[in-house]
């Protein structure tokens, strides 16, 4: 999972997208510093482009949470947390 990205149009590190393989279940949540849900997806191909409701989010640290289950253990759900810094 990346710890920073810069959606500034220079073509480098434009999106936040965790890499996932062999998952039977996946859910990604991104929250701002006040706990407001910025993004939620269950598609491993989705990514966050640094926007909320079509508007650019400010430079800040955002919290992500991923709920998942692997293909080898589809009935065991795991939850991981972390943060990502949006820079420009």
């Amino acid at each position: 999972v990346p710890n920073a990205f810069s959606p500034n149009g220079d073509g480098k590190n434009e999106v936040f997208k965790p890499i996932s393989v062999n998952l039977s279940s996946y859910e990604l949540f991104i929250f701002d510093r006040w706990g407001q849900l910025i993004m939620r997806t269950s598609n491993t191909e989705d990514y966050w482009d640094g926007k909320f409701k079509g508007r650019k989010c400010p430079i800040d640290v955002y919290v992500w949470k991923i709920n998942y289950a692997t293909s080898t253990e589809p009935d065991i759900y795991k939850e991981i947390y972390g943060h990502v810094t949006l820079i420009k």
Side-chain angles (χ1 to χ4, degrees):
V1 178
N3 62 5
F5 74 116
S6 60
N8 59 8
D10 69 357
K12 299 175 186 172
N13 300 312
E14 295 292 320
V15 299
F16 172 74
K17 182 178 185 284
I19 305 299
S20 58
V21 292
N22 300 324
L23 298 182
S24 63
S25 176
Y26 172 85
E27 208 169 17
L28 168 66
F29 302 86
I30 298 173
F31 303 92
D32 68 12
R33 68 173 50 232
W34 297 278
Q36 180 176 13
L37 181 64
I38 301 294
M39 180 192 168
R40 176 182 178 266
T41 185
S42 58
N43 183 343
T44 58
E45 296 303 312
D46 283 350
Y47 55 83
W48 182 39
D49 62 0
K51 294 179 183 174
F52 177 57
K53 295 185 179 179
R55 299 177 69 184
K56 293 180 182 179
C57 291
I59 294 171
D60 209 342
V61 176
Y62 295 83
V63 174
W64 57 261
K65 176 175 91 167
I66 298 174
N67 297 330
Y68 70 98
T70 64
S71 299
T72 56
E73 297 177 308
D75 297 328
I76 300 174
Y77 291 89
K78 299 175 184 172
E79 189 172 86
I80 56 175
Y81 299 88
H83 63 274
V84 59
T85 303
L86 188 156
I87 57 178
K88 298 200 179 176

